[in-house]
Amino acid sequence: MSLFTTLSVLLFTLFCVFLSCVGIYANHRRTSGKERAMVLSLARGIFGDEAKLARWLNKPLRRFGGRSPVQMMRGSKTDLKKVEQLLIELQEGYF
C-alpha cells in the first residue's frame, strides 16, 4: 500500500474511534432534570397513586442489580433509559 493509502486508513480509523467515544460519552453522561421529569411523569401516569409510586421508586429491583428505580434515575442516561423501558413494559402489560 502507498503511504497515502495507509495514512487515509489510519485517519479514517481514528475518526471512527472518536465518533464511537463521543457516542459512549453521550450515553453515560449524567441525566438532566428534564429527562428525569419526563420519566417520572410516565411513572405517575402508570401508578396514579403517589404512595404506590413512592414505594415502587424506592424498592430495590433485581432487574437493576438491587438498585431502586430512583437510584437508577440519578445515574447515567443509560440507567434512566432502563427505568423508562421497564415503565413502558408495565404500561403495555408485560408484567
Side-chain angles (χ1 to χ4, degrees):
M1 286 195 324
S2 70
L3 180 60
F4 177 75
T5 304
T6 303
L7 288 175
S8 297
V9 169
L10 179 62
L11 285 174
F12 179 75
T13 303
L14 289 173
F15 183 68
C16 289
V17 168
F18 170 76
L19 290 179
S20 175
C21 289
V22 168
I24 290 169
Y25 173 75
N27 285 334
H28 291 291
R29 68 176 173 74
R30 304 291 287 180
T31 58
S32 71
K34 184 177 180 180
E35 292 167 324
R36 287 189 302 270
M38 289 173 55
V39 173
L40 274 175
S41 177
L42 175 62
R44 278 190 185 98
I46 292 169
F47 288 96
D49 180 13
E50 290 291 322
K52 287 180 186 177
L53 174 61
R55 277 194 306 272
W56 183 81
L57 284 172
N58 291 294
K59 182 179 180 181
L61 300 176
R62 198 175 332 162
R63 180 173 180 159
F64 300 144
R67 295 172 63 198
S68 68
V70 77
Q71 289 172 318
M72 294 289 287
M73 291 172 65
R74 291 184 190 135
S76 68
K77 185 177 179 181
T78 302
D79 290 342
L80 182 66
K81 287 290 183 186
K82 289 176 184 177
V83 174
E84 181 180 31
Q85 182 60 43
L86 176 56
L87 287 167
I88 291 169
E89 290 172 11
L90 289 170
Q91 187 177 39
E92 297 294 322
Y94 290 111
F95 293 97

